[in-house]
């Protein structure tokens, strides 16, 4: 089993679910862990909102299940170091959230709403501000007597012309970040175009002397693409985003490939439908059924992708309002 150590924390496996807003629900994260993800962070949560509105308002995104997930990670975004200090303070006052194993900081989000506040990928323009956030987060945790590693997830640049930002990687490593993950696209690329592995490798080399694990991210769809991304960038592991939507089995398959084991059988149509229902029912435990069904609309199509009659199924699933209706549509 490949393993990595993040700030003293031993992690079995090196294939991680990439945080995704609307996808990384607590239920789905537990399923990914069960099927071989080394860990599965929450989606991005605003440090400022936690600071000023308290935990309750963000709880639907922050929620973790230390028993099931084993290794838990909360991803925060923001621009002001004091927001992180305050947010971490509140997280550590909560009986469950205080058990979190990793605090991850989003320094890659390209969405204008986030960037215009100076957070997400905008931090790539301000390596000193990014470093200050890492330092403040580490200090807040240490001050509370918590040995919780602080990790950073970023991109290869803010501008279209950027081809890697080794200076940025060094700045956050110097500030004490315990793991760095780089998505091989610039901010304006969002999720389009090809991942630039050379640019990731440049950032990997920049932090080689820091003795922290480095993860690469972008376009992993199976074992061979994970192995070649690691080989081309010198990364210790990969994060998988879009290809994991409606496909938690990808973790078992990629992990088996990387470890040279026989690949598990592909899930059958029936198994995929049953997993869809399992995730949906899990989601219903945390909010009203109609809300869960509506929120799940962005994920359901991925579960039925490629199965017989998928196009018609998707249309019907999109207008369903209850779990019962969805079961009927899937004939489960
Ligand atoms: C719907 C969606 C939501 C995302 N939300 C987040 C997020 O909350 N935090 C984050 O760091 N990245 C987020 N990302 C980026 C992914 O984590 C990942 O970096 C990106 O999709 C590239 O990896 P992939 O090629 O494996 O998908 C999101 C991506 C998508 C498609």
């Amino acid at each position: 089993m490949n393993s990595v150590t993040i700030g003293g924390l031993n992690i079995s496996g090196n294939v991680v679910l990439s945080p995704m807003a609307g996808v990384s629900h607590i239920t789905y994260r537990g399923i990914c862990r069960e099927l071989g993800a080394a860990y599965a962070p929450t989606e991005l949560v605003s440090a400022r909102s936690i600071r000023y509105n308290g935990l309750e308002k963000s709880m639907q995104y922050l929620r973790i299940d230390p028993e099931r997930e084993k290794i838990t990670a909360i991803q925060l975004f923001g621009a002001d170091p004091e927001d992180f200090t305050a947010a971490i303070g509140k997280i550590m006052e909560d009986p469950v959230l205080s058990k979190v194993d990793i605090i991850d900081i989003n320094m890659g989000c390209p969405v204008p709403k986030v960037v215009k506040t100076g957070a997400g990928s905008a931090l790539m323009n301000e390596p000193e501000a990014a470093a200050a956030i890492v330092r403040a987060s580490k200090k807040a945790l240490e001050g509370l007597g918590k040995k919780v590693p602080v990790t950073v997830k970023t991109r290869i640049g803010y501008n279209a012309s950027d081809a890697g930002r080794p200076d940025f990687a060094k700045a956050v490593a110097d500030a004490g970040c315990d793991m760095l993950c780089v998505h091989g696209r610039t901010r304006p690329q969002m999720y389009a175009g090809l991942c630039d592995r050379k640019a990731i490798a440049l950032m990997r080399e920049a932090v080689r002397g820091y003795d922290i694990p480095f993860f690469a991210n972008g376009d992993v769809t199976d074992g061979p693409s994970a192995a070649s991304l690691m080989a081309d960038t010198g990364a210790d592991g990969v994060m998988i985003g879009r290809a994991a939507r409606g496909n938690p089995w990808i973790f078992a398959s990629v992990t088996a490939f990387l470890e040279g084991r026989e690949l598990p059988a592909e899930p059958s149509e029936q198994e995929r439908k049953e997993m869809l229902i399992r995730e949906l029912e899990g989601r219903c435990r945390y909010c009203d059924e109609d809300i869960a069904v509506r929120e799940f609309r962005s994920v359901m199509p991925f579960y039925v992708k490629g199965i017989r009659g998928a196009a018609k199924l998707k249309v019907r699933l999109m207008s369903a309002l209850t779990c019962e209706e969805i079961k009927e549509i899937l004939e489960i």
Side-chain angles (χ1 to χ4, degrees):
M1 164 75 73
N2 294 319
S3 63
V4 287
T5 303
I6 300 180
L9 180 71
N10 275 321
I11 313 268
S12 327
N14 57 352
V15 183
V16 171
L17 174 67
S18 210
M20 281 180 286
V23 178
S24 302
H25 190 274
I26 184 170
T27 301
Y28 189 62
R29 299 196 322 258
I31 293 170
C32 290
R33 283 283 293 145
E34 218 176 87
L35 290 170
Y39 66 97
T42 67
E43 65 184 73
L44 78 176
V45 186
S46 165
R48 171 150 289 196
S49 175
I50 297 174
R51 178 182 184 184
Y52 291 110
N53 305 319
L55 294 170
E56 207 40 53
K57 197 145 181 262
S58 303
M59 196 52 95
Q60 75 177 107
Y61 312 113
L62 275 174
R63 211 173 262 128
I64 53 170
D65 185 344
E67 237 163 72
R68 249 188 102 214
E69 293 186 73
K70 308 281 191 294
I71 303 283
T72 55
I74 290 177
Q75 188 186 62
L76 298 175
F77 76 95
D80 179 353
E82 287 181 18
D83 288 349
F84 286 82
T85 307
I88 288 170
K90 294 210 162 143
I91 287 170
M92 292 305 166
E93 279 167 13
D94 182 87
V96 179
L97 298 184
S98 59
K99 295 188 178 142
V100 70
D101 296 296
I102 296 170
I103 295 286
D104 183 53
I105 303 176
N106 181 311
M107 299 194 181
C109 181
V111 175
K113 201 172 85 179
V114 169
V115 172
K116 75 168 194 266
T117 66
S121 58
L123 286 166
M124 299 204 77
N125 276 338
E126 309 282 347
E128 249 326 293
I133 289 173
V134 173
R135 280 195 298 268
S137 303
K138 302 256 324 169
K139 196 170 160 210
L141 289 160
E142 277 159 22
L144 294 165
K146 293 277 180 185
K147 278 202 165 69
V148 174
V150 172
T151 60
V152 167
K153 180 168 174 283
T154 189
R155 288 185 173 238
I156 54 166
Y158 182 83
N159 303 300
S161 57
D162 288 337
R165 287 288 305 274
D167 61 317
F168 181 83
K170 270 201 174 125
V172 289
D174 260 336
C177 100
D178 295 294
M179 178 276 250
L180 182 64
C181 174
V182 176
H183 171 200
R185 289 189 180 82
T186 59
R187 175 198 54 87
Q189 278 183 294
M190 306 283 275
Y191 303 103
L194 282 183
C195 198
D196 184 343
R197 294 183 173 188
K198 280 205 179 112
I200 301 179
L202 214 59
M203 293 173 76
R204 197 287 159 265
E205 282 315 310
V207 297
R208 203 168 281 278
Y210 290 86
D211 199 25
I212 54 172
F214 182 96
F215 277 65
N217 168 236
D219 300 341
V220 171
T221 52
D222 52 16
S225 53
S228 71
L229 179 61
M230 285 171 66
D232 290 349
T233 60
D236 305 298
V238 294
M239 281 202 180
I240 305 180
R242 290 162 300 166
R245 289 181 292 189
N247 182 19
W249 300 276
I250 195 169
F251 294 101
S253 163
V254 170
T255 304
F257 185 89
L258 294 180
E259 289 170 6
R261 286 184 282 112
E262 196 184 328
L263 299 192
E266 288 287 315
S268 65
E269 289 189 3
Q270 183 67 15
E271 282 168 321
R272 290 169 65 173
K273 290 175 177 178
E274 282 169 5
M275 191 63 88
L276 182 158
I277 297 297
R278 184 176 156 198
E279 184 181 343
L280 175 61
E281 288 182 341
R283 283 172 170 255
C284 286
R285 282 200 283 278
Y286 296 96
C287 64
D288 291 341
E289 183 177 352
D290 58 328
I291 295 173
V293 168
R294 213 173 334 113
E295 286 179 352
F296 200 40
R297 282 186 189 151
S298 66
V299 175
M300 272 190 291
F302 295 104
Y303 274 108
V304 297
K305 198 170 143 196
I307 73 177
R308 264 174 298 127
K312 279 193 186 137
L313 272 183
K314 279 185 210 167
V315 173
R316 293 180 65 203
L317 289 171
M318 286 306 109
S319 58
L321 299 172
T322 64
C323 294
E324 269 321 298
E325 247 182 281
I326 289 173
K327 283 186 187 164
E328 264 175 49
I329 292 168
L330 295 176
E331 296 174 8
I332 279 191

